[in-house]
Amino acid sequence: DAGITQSPRHKVTETGTPVTLRCHQTENHRYMYWYRQDPGHGLRLIHYSYGVKDTDKGEVSDGYSVSRSKTEDFLLTLESATSSQTSVYFCAISEATGPTFFGSGTRLTVV
Amino acid sequence: GIQVEQSPPDLILQEGANSTLRCNFSDSVNNLQWFHQNPWGQLINLFYIPSGTKQNGRLSATTVATERYSLLYISSSQTTDSGVYFCAVERNTGNQFYFGTGTSLTVIP
């Protein structure tokens, strides 16, 4: 299994609070991604990174920010959580060519 | 973005049966992958297959990029094959993957 660790695995938070999810890799892959998975929508890209401090928006980036200060860590922040951000969040890694590997996911509930 | 359509949306098989899952996409792509999401939610990469045919045990996949489709074959299905199979395509390297909504497979003993 690719070395990808997501933390926390589960989180319940209140509307309006900031939340940070962490993805840590031990594979030294260049590209890192944050996806959310919702029923009826499949997986949708939130943000991705193509190197340290190099990030770009995905399909559903509103309300989210990311940071990558080290190759191995990619953080996803919800500045002010809303109920619509209740979802399962997956981190993924890849090289320029070759397969993409996913972490185990973080289940976030905003109440 | 790129539209990705998977068929069938749901499939129920008797153990030992064979099946073919299809993925159609709306534009030229640089990359195509198949994933299996098991009942515990884990996403497993099955194939990285931008073109051609690959085989891995009972699974094989074929991508015809010029005709914008890919097929995933599952032979002699087992209950452990149950889950959701996703196709994902990428237009440019290291860029956004577009996922289909998946085929939900249930294999009954």
Side-chain angles (χ1 to χ4, degrees), chain B residues 11-33:
Chain B
L11 186 59
I12 300 175
L13 295 177
Q14 199 77 39
E15 197 169 26
N18 304 328
S19 62
T20 301
L21 282 57
R22 187 177 180 100
C23 172
N24 293 333
F25 42 96
S26 62
D27 203 349
S28 300
V29 299
N30 193 43
N31 189 351
L32 185 144
Q33 301 190 46

Side-chain angles (χ1 to χ4, degrees), chain A:
Chain A
D1 290 344
I4 310 170
T5 304
Q6 290 187 232
S7 58
R9 291 296 312 278
H10 302 272
K11 187 170 181 66
V12 179
T13 191
E14 293 186 349
T15 299
T17 61
V19 177
T20 296
L21 308 183
R22 180 177 183 247
C23 178
H24 178 79
Q25 62 149 329
T26 58
E27 306 297 319
N28 202 36
H29 280 19
R30 178 181 173 188
Y31 297 93
M32 297 187 75
Y33 309 83
W34 277 107
Y35 286 88
R36 61 178 289 175
Q37 185 175 30
D38 305 289
H41 290 279
L43 285 98
R44 294 178 293 174
L45 182 67
I46 305 171
H47 282 279
Y48 66 100
S49 169
Y50 46 95
V52 174
K53 297 186 180 178
D54 292 324
T55 65
D56 206 347
K57 296 179 180 180
E59 183 183 358
V60 290
S61 60
D62 287 349
Y64 301 95
S65 63
V66 290
S67 66
R68 192 172 179 196
S69 58
K70 297 184 290 185
T71 299
E72 58 266 36
D73 290 326
F74 194 33
L75 304 180
L76 176 70
T77 297
L78 290 65
E79 303 290 346
S80 178
T82 67
S83 58
S84 65
Q85 293 175 312
T86 292
S87 186
V88 180
Y89 292 86
F90 286 96
C91 173
I93 65 173
S94 74
E95 289 286 67
T97 59
T100 301
F101 300 100
F102 280 83
S104 299
T106 294
R107 184 173 296 276
L108 177 68
T109 303
V110 183
V111 298

Side-chain angles (χ1 to χ4, degrees), chain B residues 5 7 9 13 16 23 29-31 33 36 44 48-49 51 54-55 60 70-71 74 79-80 83 91 93 96 98 107:
Chain B
E5 296 181 355
S7 60
L13 295 177
C23 172
V29 299
N30 193 43
N31 189 351
Q33 301 190 46
H36 175 223
I44 306 298
Y48 166 79
I49 185 166
S51 63
K54 289 187 177 181
Q55 179 148 11
S60 64
S70 183
L71 301 174
I74 304 174
T79 56
T80 52
R91 180 180 281 124
T93 299
Q96 176 163 336
Y98 295 90
V107 180

